Amino acid sequence: MIPKREKQVQEDCGDLLIEVLKNLVFFKVEDCGDLHMVQLEIVVIFKRDCGNLKGGIVEECGALQGDVVRLISSSSKSKSSKSLITCSTAFHFPPLNQLPDSTSYTQLRKNNLYSSWHSVNSTNTAPSSHNRNGFFSQNFNQKGSGFWIGQGLIGGVRNFSGESVSRESLNYDVVIVGAGPAGLSAAIKLKQLCKVNDVDLSVCVVEKGAEVGAHIISGNVFEPRALDELLPNWKQEEAPIHVPVSSDKFWLLSKTRAFPFPSPFNNRENYVISLSQLVRWLGMKAEELGVEIYPGFAASEILYDTTDKVIGIATNDMGVAKDGSKKDNFQPGVELKGKFGRVTLFAEGCRGSLSEKVIRKYNLRDKGQGQHQTYALGIKEVWEITADKHHAGSVLHTIGWPLDPNTYGGSFLYHMKDRQVAIGFVVALNYHNPFLNPYEEFQKFKHHPAIKPMLEGGTVLEYGARTLNEGGYQSIPYPVFPGGAIIGCSAGFLNVPKIKGSHTAMKSGMLAAESVFRTLHEGSPLEAFWDSLRNSWIWKELYTARNYRPAFEYGLFPGLALSALEHYIMKGRFPWTLKHGKPDHEATDEAQLWRPIDYPKPDGVISFDVPTSLYRSNTNHDHDQPAHLCLTDPKIPELVNLPVYAGPESRYCPARVYEHVVDETGHPKLQINAQNCLHCKACDIKDPKQNIKWTVPEGGGGPGYTVM
């Protein structure tokens, strides 16, 4: 007989107190070998050679029974704990000792990663639902997102066993990297096809954000064309799409005036939305169909077989210190593989780190349309304004001031629901002036006489930034590689004149899903995805819009004239296709050709400094981890970037990650504040010598967007 054990552990996470209560009551154990205890800041029972471990209860072990874990969280009073109002804890149960090869041990290793869901101020312990390969998830309530894997959000789990654990390997028919519009649309479409054809394919989506939607940021005036095809009943199923466009304006700004132009965007029947909220809803729809979604796990490595075919991905190790040593909460990464070398889809969004590796390795850019990708940086705030100034569904775009005539960019201002307004500024990253600061241009823009009155009396709710693809038709890579495909903004399907890419990203995921299903079910080649893409409305849409963005290589007013001719008269039927200029990093001029820009100081009412804005992004990284922003040559910032380009990395980054400081010897050096990173990828794109390499940090780190 094992006596009743009671123990309480308290962990202080800011103002959020997590109490873990154990009431372990066990009865007679028959023929179950030795009983061991693993302490991971909670007390659980670990059995060797005893079959499946489910929810902390060892089955098939005689009469071993128990109520193992109860989680209670309380005291969520401060602003800092609001993002933790619904959270989870991930527990990793490694074997205490090396066990002999056996069926029971193999099964035990397959079932060694758990997530236990709980809600604030709840003392009820809901039974976990068993997913395919040892992951457990239980929604904390019917309306919650249900995707929290709070690794790092409440302090992590400490492993006291002292044993190293090899990387786990979990097998799926389809592995999708990125829970954005493209990745989730692909997952949903695959499961829909399985249901129609009575086929069982396992589909896994891995997401580096702490929850689905946490890293999603977009304008967003949403065109529902792809969603109508994917989920025709989205209105009845309570999709967070509530505000139809009510007006659509387009202004050319001078320093003091706004000149109205005919709007070329045709936003009738579109909606003003929060894309991060829509993605959460898509995630719920995917889970309802049987898709397994694992947020908080960052895909850091591509796995290949001996023939150089992609067979899956691996997530990065957790709990590694800056010096590379293993901390007490170390957990090895997990390998997610396609069964028998099946299919991996990369849907990481713009400038995805693994997607770029695949594009280079298999020379996909040259196999596709052939031109390099060109990018822009979008910076966004969500405000809550006074009721008398709010007009739900109102859409405004501007070009011109404060940018110079040779720099492409503009602004947007969208009235959402609940007196919320999304305001943002987009700057093409092929700008020439190394002293230009996109963040400061945005703050300056908000003081324009036609813009400032809309914001006065309001408050900022959230801030964020992200790069976006602007290469369009000319820059689409060949999307298929041995073992998988690239979809969504990882490939680059943004329609620049529409300023929209969510609908094309979703459609690309759906087309890929159809090709993947035929490949796995019928044996047809995955290369059919390329043909489907070129025969779809995506291709027609991007071909028609292909000359809009490169027209602005000649400046603002020639670009307006050429694009108007293309849009209103030729309608995409020009007999030629314009080419993009230099790659963005090569477009930066030397500092000696330009004068520094004297930006006004923020007033703290309409404009703000970077630390204030960064706080509003809910960005968080563990400080004690290896830098995810790597310098190929540590000497280049001091020897090239600073003397030749005046240190542009300190200006193009919208989160003040890069600062040139003086060291103890009086010499300048580049200080990297990686914990500030918004995952926008601007540094990976704009660095003049391509010396900065963006890699994924620990899963769960980065921004925590909720209304972006």
Side-chain angles (χ1 to χ4, degrees):
M1 297 290 291
I2 302 175
K4 176 178 179 180
R5 298 179 57 90
E6 294 188 4
K7 186 174 180 180
Q8 175 171 311
V9 176
Q10 294 185 346
E11 181 175 341
D12 194 353
C13 296
D15 290 337
L16 187 64
L17 186 66
I18 307 298
E19 295 183 352
V20 185
L21 306 182
K22 274 72 58 183
N23 290 290
L24 308 182
V25 184
F26 291 97
F27 302 97
K28 186 176 181 181
V29 182
E30 297 179 354
D31 302 322
C32 286
D34 296 331
L35 193 64
H36 288 263
M37 194 77 72
V38 171
Q39 185 173 358
L40 301 175
E41 291 197 7
I42 65 170
V43 178
V44 299
I45 292 297
F46 187 96
K47 275 302 292 113
R48 289 198 300 176
D49 302 319
C50 289
N52 293 334
L53 184 65
K54 284 190 177 182
I57 300 174
V58 180
E59 295 185 345
E60 300 174 2
C61 291
L64 186 60
Q65 303 176 28
D67 175 19
V68 178
V69 180
R70 174 174 293 168
L71 299 176
I72 300 176
S73 62
S74 61
S75 182
S76 55
K77 298 179 181 179
S78 74
K79 175 177 171 58
S80 64
S81 65
K82 285 182 179 179
S83 63
L84 302 178
I85 200 70
T86 51
C87 56
S88 73
T89 308
F91 305 123
H92 189 192
F93 299 84
L96 287 177
N97 301 292
Q98 183 65 36
L99 300 179
D101 291 336
S102 65
T103 302
S104 61
Y105 177 58
T106 301
Q107 185 64 38
L108 182 62
R109 286 181 57 79
K110 287 177 65 179
N111 291 291
N112 77 336
L113 188 55
Y114 295 73
S115 64
S116 177
W117 303 92
H118 61 280
S119 60
V120 173
N121 299 326
S122 170
T123 59
N124 295 326
T125 304
S128 295
S129 61
H130 185 210
N131 288 334
R132 184 177 304 271
N133 280 303
F135 285 89
F136 289 70
S137 67
Q138 175 68 34
N139 291 345
F140 42 81
N141 58 48
Q142 292 181 347
K143 295 183 180 180
S145 67
F147 303 113
W148 284 85
I149 302 280
Q151 193 70 30
L153 290 178
I154 61 172
V157 179
R158 189 175 297 272
N159 183 351
F160 295 100
S161 70
E163 296 282 344
S164 62
V165 183
S166 60
R167 219 157 52 175
E168 301 298 326
S169 180
L170 307 175
N171 296 319
Y172 293 87
D173 293 303
V174 181
V175 175
I176 300 174
V177 181
L184 291 173
S185 296
I188 290 170
K189 188 64 177 179
L190 272 167
K191 282 297 187 178
Q192 289 174 337
L193 292 169
C194 288
K195 185 176 181 180
V196 169
N197 293 276
D198 194 23
V199 174
D200 183 21
L201 295 177
S202 56
V203 181
C204 154
V205 180
V206 61
E207 163 60 36
K208 64 183 174 67
E211 67 166 333
V212 172
H215 289 181
I216 299 296
I217 175 172
S218 179
N220 180 290
V221 175
F222 182 70
E223 182 176 318
R225 183 175 185 177
L227 185 60
D228 287 338
E229 297 178 14
L230 182 66
L231 297 167
N233 297 322
W234 57 266
K235 290 183 180 180
Q236 292 78 15
E237 296 180 19
E238 300 183 348
I241 303 174
H242 308 294
V243 182
V245 172
S246 58
S247 66
D248 192 2
K249 298 177 182 178
F250 181 50
W251 293 349
L252 170 65
L253 299 184
S254 69
K255 186 174 181 179
T256 58
R257 297 184 61 185
F259 301 92
F261 274 50
S263 176
F265 302 111
N266 191 23
N267 280 313
R268 291 173 300 184
E269 300 182 359
N270 294 336
Y271 296 81
V272 178
I273 69 165
S274 160
L275 189 61
S276 59
Q277 292 179 350
L278 177 61
V279 163
R280 286 188 184 88
W281 179 82
L282 287 173
M284 294 174 65
K285 294 290 124 183
E287 279 204 330
E288 288 173 5
L289 290 168
V291 177
E292 298 179 22
I293 305 176
Y294 307 132
F297 294 91
S300 60
E301 179 185 350
I302 303 171
L303 304 177
Y304 302 93
D305 66 10
T306 56
T307 66
D308 252 4
K309 176 183 176 182
V310 174
I311 57 172
I313 59 94
T315 66
N316 57 4
D317 294 341
M318 308 283 283
V320 179
K322 281 185 178 181
D323 61 5
S325 62
K326 297 177 182 179
K327 297 188 289 187
D328 289 339
N329 63 341
F330 173 78
Q331 294 183 38
V334 179
E335 292 183 353
L336 299 171
K337 297 181 179 180
K339 288 182 180 178
F340 311 111
R342 290 208 159 184
V343 178
T344 303
L345 298 178
F346 291 101
E348 301 171 284
C350 177
R351 195 74 172 196
S353 52
L354 298 186
S355 303
E356 289 298 311
K357 289 182 179 179
V358 167
I359 289 173
R360 289 192 296 269
K361 180 178 179 67
Y362 297 107
N363 199 27
L364 301 182
R365 192 75 68 191
D366 290 341
K367 291 180 181 178
Q369 295 304 99
Q371 292 192 41
H372 62 268
Q373 185 61 261
T374 185
Y375 302 88
L377 175 63
I379 304 173
K380 178 182 175 180
E381 293 172 347
V382 175
W383 285 63
E384 183 178 83
I385 63 174
T386 57
D388 60 309
K389 299 176 183 178
H390 185 257
H391 306 284
S394 174
V395 170
L396 170 66
H397 294 97
T398 77
I399 56 172
W401 188 89
L403 296 176
D404 65 77
N406 293 315
T407 301
Y408 180 74
S411 78
F412 60 86
L413 197 151
Y414 306 149
H415 288 242
M416 307 161 73
K417 64 177 184 177
D418 299 330
R419 295 193 292 117
Q420 293 178 0
V421 170
I423 182 170
F425 201 77
V426 179
V427 179
L429 287 177
N430 66 342
Y431 64 81
H432 303 294
N433 187 349
F435 294 106
L436 188 145
N437 186 319
Y439 177 86
E440 295 295 346
E441 295 289 331
F442 176 39
Q443 302 306 313
K444 188 177 178 181
F445 156 76
K446 290 185 292 179
H447 283 275
H448 190 278
I451 303 299
K452 183 178 179 180
M454 303 183 200
L455 304 177
E456 288 178 326
T459 56
V460 181
L461 303 178
E462 209 158 273
Y463 165 82
R466 187 70 168 93
T467 52
L468 51 147
N469 313 94
E470 288 192 337
Y473 172 82
Q474 293 92 320
S475 303
I476 297 172
Y478 185 72
V480 182
F481 55 86
I486 300 173
I487 60 176
C489 288
S490 286
F493 298 113
L494 179 81
N495 184 323
V496 174
K498 276 189 174 183
I499 320 179
K500 293 176 181 61
S502 301
H503 66 302
T504 50
M506 292 176 66
K507 180 62 175 178
S508 72
M510 294 156 61
L511 292 172
E514 292 170 353
S515 297
V516 168
F517 183 82
R518 288 193 294 268
T519 296
L520 299 181
H521 183 51
E522 302 171 5
S524 62
L526 188 57
E527 286 75 12
F529 173 42
W530 180 235
D531 297 327
S532 298
L533 194 61
R534 290 187 294 178
N535 291 325
S536 72
W537 53 257
I538 295 178
W539 203 259
K540 180 179 179 181
E541 189 173 303
L542 295 185
Y543 180 81
T544 302
R546 71 193 185 284
N547 287 327
Y548 182 90
R549 175 64 185 87
F552 285 86
E553 292 289 333
Y554 305 101
L556 175 61
F557 294 104
L560 283 173
L562 284 170
S563 59
L565 180 63
E566 175 91 331
H567 182 76
Y568 291 107
I569 299 176
M570 298 304 296
K571 299 185 184 299
R573 295 191 298 266
F574 265 126
W576 60 79
T577 297
L578 298 178
K579 292 185 177 181
H580 298 301
K582 296 179 180 179
D584 296 339
H585 68 279
E586 294 181 5
T588 309
D589 288 340
E590 294 185 3
Q592 63 180 350
L593 301 177
W594 296 86
R595 293 181 181 179
I597 301 175
D598 185 20
Y599 289 104
K601 292 184 179 180
D603 63 4
V605 179
I606 301 297
S607 52
F608 308 93
D609 58 22
V610 172
T612 300
S613 294
L614 192 62
Y615 172 75
R616 293 169 175 150
S617 70
N618 299 313
T619 296
N620 179 60
H621 294 89
D622 185 351
H623 289 222
D624 187 18
Q625 65 172 298
H628 71 279
L629 302 163
C630 307
L631 300 178
T632 303
D633 184 349
K635 296 181 180 179
I636 284 181
E638 290 76 40
L639 298 180
V640 179
N641 284 17
L642 188 59
V644 177
Y645 301 100
E649 56 269 58
S650 64
R651 289 180 288 275
Y652 59 62
C653 174
R656 197 175 291 174
V657 169
Y658 303 97
E659 293 184 286
H660 285 274
V661 299
V662 177
D663 64 18
E664 59 276 4
T665 65
H667 294 91
K669 72 171 184 177
L670 181 65
Q671 176 175 293
I672 300 179
N673 307 309
Q675 68 274 11
N676 291 1
C677 183
L678 290 168
H679 298 203
C680 77
K681 312 292 182 69
C683 57
D684 195 73
I685 297 165
K686 188 60 176 171
D687 181 67
K689 298 302 178 183
Q690 292 292 273
N691 189 48
I692 299 174
K693 301 300 178 185
W694 196 98
T695 61
V696 291
E698 281 193 357
Y705 301 137
T706 59
V707 293
M708 296 300 245

